[in-house]
Amino acid sequence: DTGVSQNPRHKITKRGQNVTFRCDPISEHNRLYWYRQTLGQGPEFLTYFQNEAQLEKSRLLSDRFSAERPKGSFSTLEIQRTEQGDSAMYLCASSSGTTFDYEQYFGPGTRLTVT
Amino acid sequence: DAKTTQPNSMESNEEEPVHLPCNHSTISGTDYIHWYRQLPSQGPEYVIHGLTSNVNNRMASLAIAEDRKSSTLILHRATLRDAAVYYCILRDADNYGQNFVFGPGTRLSVLP
């Protein structure tokens, strides 16, 4: 257990529905990352927060995806109008990021299945 | 970030050393070499990182070639728990705060 928690662990939804995932980082960590991982591939970066500011978004993050980190604590990732191609593991990571953060702590992920 | 290449899979016997190679021929002078691993049904976890010199920690050792175009992660005595996908990642020290770029990694199987 890295101290990063994600909920729910599994989500099955029908195409076209909206889903929201939550990530609770390690409490003193000011940086939070979202990644997506499909079967047989390494994680792909989606977006990054420093405190409550969203500083970077990948081109993978279409306008159906939105992420927030109110008050710089937990974060949510929402996918609107889900598509079958959104089926993946969604991973959250956090780091202290005081200088060069060589170590990101990953949560266990939320596995999304879109039927 | 510069690209790395790793074998798709490797096998090892339990309690034997394992050498996991990584090629990064286009590495720049400010790129750190990171290794993460991902156990089944878990998120990735940090293993080790280095810049130029060889590095040791409780989990593994990292041997970096003198020209830095390749590196090797060494697990001194593989256990069944070390069966995982191992990712070699380059990250520019001048871009701290940026994301990691994971490749497909090397799937390590450990045989009892």
Side-chain angles (χ1 to χ4, degrees):
Chain A
D1 183 357
T2 63
V4 178
S5 61
Q6 292 188 245
N7 287 289
R9 294 292 308 276
H10 303 274
K11 178 72 177 178
I12 300 174
T13 190
K14 291 186 178 179
R15 189 178 54 180
Q17 298 292 306
N18 299 343
V19 294
T20 300
F21 310 138
R22 177 177 170 127
C23 170
D24 286 273
I26 294 172
S27 59
E28 62 268 26
H29 284 184
N30 61 347
R31 292 182 178 168
L32 188 146
Y33 302 78
W34 284 99
Y35 293 81
R36 180 174 70 186
Q37 185 173 27
T38 54
L39 204 61
Q41 301 299 315
E44 296 172 296
F45 169 74
L46 292 179
T47 190
Y48 150 65
F49 289 85
Q50 180 148 331
N51 299 312
E52 65 275 8
Q54 188 173 19
L55 296 186
E56 189 180 356
K57 291 197 293 186
S58 162
R59 283 169 292 180
L60 291 174
L61 210 67
S62 76
D63 55 8
R64 295 186 298 107
F65 288 69
S66 63
E68 294 182 341
R69 193 183 181 199
K71 301 178 184 177
S73 56
F74 70 93
S75 176
T76 58
L77 178 68
E78 181 183 17
I79 309 174
Q80 296 183 325
R81 305 180 304 280
T82 52
E83 302 172 356
Q84 287 189 322
D86 297 331
S87 295
M89 176 75 82
Y90 290 84
L91 293 161
C92 172
S94 71
S95 69
S96 59
T98 50
T99 53
F100 177 60
D101 56 339
Y102 59 84
E103 185 171 359
Q104 292 183 10
Y105 295 81
F106 283 80
T110 295
R111 180 165 297 285
L112 173 66
T113 302
V114 182
T115 61
Chain B
D1 290 309
K3 190 175 177 180
T4 63
T5 54
Q6 302 176 251
N8 290 335
S9 62
M10 290 185 64
E11 244 179 35
S12 172
N13 294 317
E14 199 176 7
E15 299 189 3
E16 289 187 356
V18 183
H19 291 232
L20 295 163
C22 181
N23 287 317
H24 29 79
S25 58
T26 58
I27 192 170
S28 74
T30 53
D31 280 333
Y32 277 77
I33 302 159
H34 301 258
W35 284 83
Y36 276 69
R37 72 179 185 181
Q38 188 169 20
L39 302 171
S41 302
Q42 295 187 26
E45 66 173 341
Y46 167 81
V47 177
I48 201 166
H49 80 287
L51 183 63
T52 56
S53 304
N54 294 344
V55 184
N56 300 295
N57 67 20
R58 63 176 180 81
M59 287 182 70
S61 295
L62 176 59
I64 301 172
E66 198 169 330
D67 64 4
R68 302 211 321 128
K69 293 184 185 300
S70 66
S71 60
T72 303
L73 179 71
I74 302 165
L75 307 179
H76 296 285
R77 286 184 72 225
T79 68
L80 296 178
R81 197 193 170 277
D82 292 322
V85 178
Y86 287 78
Y87 299 101
C88 170
I89 304 162
L90 298 185
R91 192 145 167 262
D92 189 344
D94 291 335
N95 277 331
Y96 61 86
Q98 301 299 309
N99 54 287
F100 284 103
V101 178
F102 291 82
T106 296
R107 182 173 297 278
L108 175 66
S109 302
V110 180
L111 306 176

